[in-house]
Amino acid sequence: MSKDKQFVKEITPQAEDFSRWYIDVIKKADLMDYSPVRGCIVFKPDGYELWELCQRELDARFKETGHRNAYFPLFIPESFFQKEKEHVEGFNPELPWVTEAAGEQLEERLAIRPTSETMIGHMYAKWIQSYRDLPVLINQWANVVRWEKRTLPFLRTSEFLWQEGHTAHETEEEARKETLQMLEIYRDFVENFLAIPVIVGQKTPSEKFAGAKDTYSIEAMMKDGRAVQAGTSHYMGTNFAEAFDIKYLDRDNQLQHAFTTSWGVSTRLIGALIMVHGDDRGLNLPPKVAPTQVVMIPIGPAKTRDQVVARTDELFAELKQAGIRVKVDDRSDQSPGWKFNEYEMRGVPVRLELGPRDMEKGQCVLVSRVTGEKRMVQQDQLVEEVQKLLDETQQELYERAKQFMADRFRSVDELDELKAAMEEERGFFLAGWCGSASCEHQVKEEAGATSRNIPFEVTEHKSKCLVCGENAQHTVVFAKAY
Amino acid sequence: MSKDKQFVKEITPQAEDFSRWYIDVIKKADLMDYSPVRGCIVFKPDGYELWELCQRELDARFKETGHRNAYFPLFIPESFFQKEKEHVEGFNPELPWVTEAAGEQLEERLAIRPTSETMIGHMYAKWIQSYRDLPVLINQWANVVRWEKRTLPFLRTSEFLWQEGHTAHETEEEARKETLQMLEIYRDFVENFLAIPVIVGQKTPSEKFAGAKDTYSIEAMMKDGRAVQAGTSHYMGTNFAEAFDIKYLDRDNQLQHAFTTSWGVSTRLIGALIMVHGDDRGLNLPPKVAPTQVVMIPIGPAKTRDQVVARTDELFAELKQAGIRVKVDDRSDQSPGWKFNEYEMRGVPVRLELGPRDMEKGQCVLVSRVTGEKRMVQQDQLVEEVQKLLDETQQELYERAKQFMADRFRSVDELDELKAAMEEERGFFLAGWCGSASCEHQVKEEAGATSRNIPFEVTEHKSKCLVCGENAQHTVVFAKAY
Ligand SMILES: [Zn+2]
Ligand SMILES: [Zn+2]
């Protein structure tokens, strides 16, 4: 038992220091390690597998909607950054440069891609000649680099993993439809797979992506009340096509610029996953994204051990056969109590305990990581019972996160009210906004909150700007963001 | 028909110029494009999908054998290259260096990884403390960079995609077993999934990986008789652990160096796939790795078109339901003849034709890309018939490649004989070798052939060294390699 106590002590309580809690949990759950390169982390197997499961799920959704994957070079010639003025201003401060290779100085410096956007623009200009070549629907899974001064594992690292979709279309209508389709895919994935409720909406002009006409985002609330932008989708209009000369002969034989979109999510989703569901006992993984959904722990005295382990293995085979990600921990050098804590800390949604008395009765015990509830179930109904508990857990985590967000989602009328509220407790704040960049800027300076987005759906339409009191053009969500 | 002729003209015949044939095919089949960065290509969707299918298959085999994926940083500090002398000598001439980032000169230059070996060694030294931490069985899917002077799409590019497995073990025996297990996984994958027969064996000391104790390889023969090293597996002994200080407390509480292995395959497999199976009509894909296994082409006059297309769509649904990767081309602006050529060129293994008379009879026609054979089959047995033809095609491609390799696999006794044979026709040459590096070097200098490996199984044991005539220590395969 002393081991158990020590164990829990190693995780700082959320209420004491949320940032330390986060680092404690990801280190203790073995998701990552710091690397000797500043700002770059190592994704350890338990962390990387979360990304693999996200990839598999998203990739299937991208392919279902007609997208295909491709791969573009890591290096971007310096001249490419001159083509799109806003692009270069957006990224230049963050770029690492290759200046020499194979013992020689390069004639032109090469940036490590912060996105492949410019390279893809260059290639699309070659590939797209006629309306027959459209639409182009391409996605890339890749590593990208943005040299960050202040980093936070998963949420902000100098190198990270992501996907970037880039599409080109004949018409504005089609490109806008694509932009919103991908936003909806992200929303559905984040809400129903990661069990993270989000606010869906449009970015204000000052928060949109450099060069985009319109940027849309999904915004999630962490347990410290801060926001994480969990995915973005951009309608570029013809801005990007003009910068990169992406032109096609239309059905009337006229040369036109293509309408383009881009959209992406990254490994920061892993950070959000941890910060939305985790608690003082550690990780708390929604079953759909949990690498291990059920851990089976045989218990009881040494004399019945072999029998219990043998039965555990049979049940393991049944669960595995049913497609459930299951694991047995039958190590004899760790106590059941230690194991219970260990897998709770690792966020495994369901624990199965099997002891000699359970065996006699043809039963076993399921324990929910989220609620702590124990269920005695019949072994001959195990698959159904486990599936049911996993479904309930997925739903429960979503509902809890939704309730948490609702509790921290407040409406404010004036900047002073926002400042006071932010000081009391962080969260999402709905406020009216006149549309001026200076009012938005003032909110950031004085309350430390940025506009997250203009939600598609709001509970309430605000009529006055929270800063200047003029008529509100939009009702906006403000929050402090990661 | 004029279109068809022109079409075929665009591919240089293999016999005329194999290198031009290769470039013509990969460009025409839309697998890649050159990028504006020297030596780096763009993997277009049809090329990238070949890699995705390889990845999916290999990844499953790695996981079945207990390996897990992780991700390590792209950047390697310069000091890491000093730790392993042979390593630095092996890679230094090929490295690109990041010297500045975010507007500042870096204190220490960062290389773009040529492999993650040194970074992984550094991390393993942290992670491995006790025998309880072993074995460590980790794989990484990543991009790596080696600045190449002479490049060839897929086969040798400055940036390429690969996987690198790195494992650490308590004992030599276990590490050696792992090394050979992974070699066998590669052999099985390349022979049975890519339908490429290989020679399995051990590299000579001068051809082994820098720092390895023993390197094993699988070697495939291209249609021009040159070799491609299709995969390697290295037993590192404790060399690497000594360089990176990977030590553990053993069961007797003694500090020991771990025994390590590494193994990898890369996107050069795509190049091999094309060069082994392709012909003057274009690509020729084994069904298991073909992104499209069956293309369905409705034919016949305009008046029956709607009916035929409707029936095609029904049959499409059946095939898709059965897990077959199938596609319909019902475009009306291209002739059937054009489409036949197009999909032959793209290497789609099976073409299905459906016309009005076939419909009346409840039949359709299957055409094999490899043999050209046409089969009239009953629609109500379509799934079985297609599956059968796909299996036969997979087997036929393997048998053909095997026969080709057998025909070009010769035995030689003396260097002059090898030189004459190489000049006549390239291939694999079995010869005795005394074990001296200088004899091996002389073969390279005079015959332009390197030792590929010492095969595990040979048809014949040679008794004399082909160069010096001394007793042969090994029977070796020599060939000109890509
Ligand atoms: Zn205002
Ligand atoms: Zn000799």
mmCIF file of all heavy atoms in Angstrom, chain A residues 193-207:
data_model
loop_
_atom_site.group_PDB
_atom_site.id
_atom_site.type_symbol
_atom_site.label_atom_id
_atom_site.label_comp_id
_atom_site.label_asym_id
_atom_site.label_seq_id
_atom_site.Cartn_x
_atom_site.Cartn_y
_atom_site.Cartn_z
ATOM 1 N N PHE A 193 -15.313 10.799 -31.515
ATOM 2 C CA PHE A 193 -14.217 9.837 -31.369
ATOM 3 C C PHE A 193 -13.379 10.193 -30.142
ATOM 4 O O PHE A 193 -13.067 9.348 -29.328
ATOM 5 C CB PHE A 193 -13.368 9.836 -32.646
ATOM 6 C CG PHE A 193 -12.405 8.687 -32.747
ATOM 7 C CD1 PHE A 193 -12.832 7.423 -33.124
ATOM 8 C CD2 PHE A 193 -11.057 8.866 -32.464
ATOM 9 C CE1 PHE A 193 -11.942 6.358 -33.216
ATOM 10 C CE2 PHE A 193 -10.159 7.811 -32.545
ATOM 11 C CZ PHE A 193 -10.599 6.551 -32.923
ATOM 12 N N LEU A 194 -13.049 11.490 -30.006
ATOM 13 C CA LEU A 194 -12.242 11.917 -28.854
ATOM 14 C C LEU A 194 -13.107 12.333 -27.657
ATOM 15 O O LEU A 194 -12.573 12.647 -26.592
ATOM 16 C CB LEU A 194 -11.315 13.065 -29.259
ATOM 17 C CG LEU A 194 -10.340 12.782 -30.410
ATOM 18 C CD1 LEU A 194 -9.462 13.996 -30.673
ATOM 19 C CD2 LEU A 194 -9.472 11.559 -30.105
ATOM 20 N N ALA A 195 -14.431 12.362 -27.871
ATOM 21 C CA ALA A 195 -15.372 12.732 -26.802
ATOM 22 C C ALA A 195 -15.120 14.141 -26.265
ATOM 23 O O ALA A 195 -15.315 14.421 -25.082
ATOM 24 C CB ALA A 195 -15.342 11.695 -25.667
ATOM 25 N N ILE A 196 -14.672 15.014 -27.144
ATOM 26 C CA ILE A 196 -14.407 16.405 -26.762
ATOM 27 C C ILE A 196 -15.429 17.316 -27.436
ATOM 28 O O ILE A 196 -15.439 17.446 -28.659
ATOM 29 C CB ILE A 196 -12.982 16.833 -27.204
ATOM 30 C CG1 ILE A 196 -11.919 15.958 -26.528
ATOM 31 C CG2 ILE A 196 -12.751 18.309 -26.925
ATOM 32 C CD1 ILE A 196 -10.488 16.258 -27.004
ATOM 33 N N PRO A 197 -16.304 17.949 -26.644
ATOM 34 C CA PRO A 197 -17.267 18.873 -27.248
ATOM 35 C C PRO A 197 -16.552 20.128 -27.733
ATOM 36 O O PRO A 197 -15.567 20.553 -27.135
ATOM 37 C CB PRO A 197 -18.210 19.210 -26.093
ATOM 38 C CG PRO A 197 -17.400 18.963 -24.863
ATOM 39 C CD PRO A 197 -16.409 17.883 -25.191
ATOM 40 N N VAL A 198 -17.013 20.699 -28.825
ATOM 41 C CA VAL A 198 -16.341 21.882 -29.367
ATOM 42 C C VAL A 198 -17.331 22.972 -29.755
ATOM 43 O O VAL A 198 -18.510 22.708 -29.982
ATOM 44 C CB VAL A 198 -15.491 21.535 -30.616
ATOM 45 C CG1 VAL A 198 -14.284 20.687 -30.236
ATOM 46 C CG2 VAL A 198 -16.325 20.850 -31.690
ATOM 47 N N ILE A 199 -16.801 24.190 -29.835
ATOM 48 C CA ILE A 199 -17.548 25.320 -30.372
ATOM 49 C C ILE A 199 -17.108 25.478 -31.826
ATOM 50 O O ILE A 199 -15.919 25.662 -32.103
ATOM 51 C CB ILE A 199 -17.217 26.623 -29.612
ATOM 52 C CG1 ILE A 199 -17.451 26.452 -28.099
ATOM 53 C CG2 ILE A 199 -18.014 27.790 -30.169
ATOM 54 C CD1 ILE A 199 -18.889 26.250 -27.704
ATOM 55 N N VAL A 200 -18.077 25.388 -32.737
ATOM 56 C CA VAL A 200 -17.781 25.478 -34.165
ATOM 57 C C VAL A 200 -18.092 26.889 -34.643
ATOM 58 O O VAL A 200 -19.178 27.406 -34.375
ATOM 59 C CB VAL A 200 -18.653 24.484 -34.959
ATOM 60 C CG1 VAL A 200 -18.249 24.467 -36.430
ATOM 61 C CG2 VAL A 200 -18.565 23.089 -34.355
ATOM 62 N N GLY A 201 -17.163 27.506 -35.343
ATOM 63 C CA GLY A 201 -17.454 28.859 -35.815
ATOM 64 C C GLY A 201 -16.384 29.409 -36.731
ATOM 65 O O GLY A 201 -15.457 28.702 -37.136
ATOM 66 N N GLN A 202 -16.527 30.698 -37.014
ATOM 67 C CA GLN A 202 -15.615 31.359 -37.940
ATOM 68 C C GLN A 202 -14.659 32.272 -37.176
ATOM 69 O O GLN A 202 -15.065 32.951 -36.233
ATOM 70 C CB GLN A 202 -16.434 32.178 -38.955
ATOM 71 C CG GLN A 202 -15.552 32.888 -39.974
ATOM 72 C CD GLN A 202 -16.345 33.466 -41.125
ATOM 73 O OE1 GLN A 202 -17.571 33.332 -41.176
ATOM 74 N NE2 GLN A 202 -15.665 34.108 -42.056
ATOM 75 N N LYS A 203 -13.407 32.290 -37.594
ATOM 76 C CA LYS A 203 -12.419 33.161 -36.966
ATOM 77 C C LYS A 203 -12.677 34.615 -37.373
ATOM 78 O O LYS A 203 -13.123 34.888 -38.483
ATOM 79 C CB LYS A 203 -11.011 32.755 -37.413
ATOM 80 C CG LYS A 203 -10.539 31.433 -36.836
ATOM 81 C CD LYS A 203 -10.101 31.614 -35.385
ATOM 82 C CE LYS A 203 -9.450 30.378 -34.814
ATOM 83 N NZ LYS A 203 -9.153 30.517 -33.383
ATOM 84 N N THR A 204 -12.321 35.520 -36.479
ATOM 85 C CA THR A 204 -12.378 36.940 -36.857
ATOM 86 C C THR A 204 -11.195 37.212 -37.795
ATOM 87 O O THR A 204 -10.228 36.457 -37.823
ATOM 88 C CB THR A 204 -12.247 37.844 -35.615
ATOM 89 O OG1 THR A 204 -10.962 37.617 -35.010
ATOM 90 C CG2 THR A 204 -13.351 37.567 -34.608
ATOM 91 N N PRO A 205 -11.269 38.312 -38.563
ATOM 92 C CA PRO A 205 -10.195 38.591 -39.529
ATOM 93 C C PRO A 205 -8.805 38.591 -38.902
ATOM 94 O O PRO A 205 -7.850 38.081 -39.487
ATOM 95 C CB PRO A 205 -10.560 39.970 -40.073
ATOM 96 C CG PRO A 205 -12.050 40.032 -39.963
ATOM 97 C CD PRO A 205 -12.381 39.291 -38.697
ATOM 98 N N SER A 206 -8.659 39.106 -37.690
ATOM 99 C CA SER A 206 -7.311 39.176 -37.112
ATOM 100 C C SER A 206 -6.809 37.820 -36.641
ATOM 101 O O SER A 206 -5.624 37.643 -36.443
ATOM 102 C CB SER A 206 -7.265 40.187 -35.968
ATOM 103 O OG SER A 206 -8.129 39.760 -34.942
ATOM 104 N N GLU A 207 -7.699 36.873 -36.470
ATOM 105 C CA GLU A 207 -7.286 35.540 -36.027
ATOM 106 C C GLU A 207 -7.273 34.523 -37.161
ATOM 107 O O GLU A 207 -6.905 33.362 -36.958
ATOM 108 C CB GLU A 207 -8.199 35.032 -34.904
ATOM 109 C CG GLU A 207 -8.110 35.809 -33.602
ATOM 110 C CD GLU A 207 -6.818 35.522 -32.803
ATOM 111 O OE1 GLU A 207 -6.263 34.426 -32.935
ATOM 112 O OE2 GLU A 207 -6.369 36.431 -32.074
#
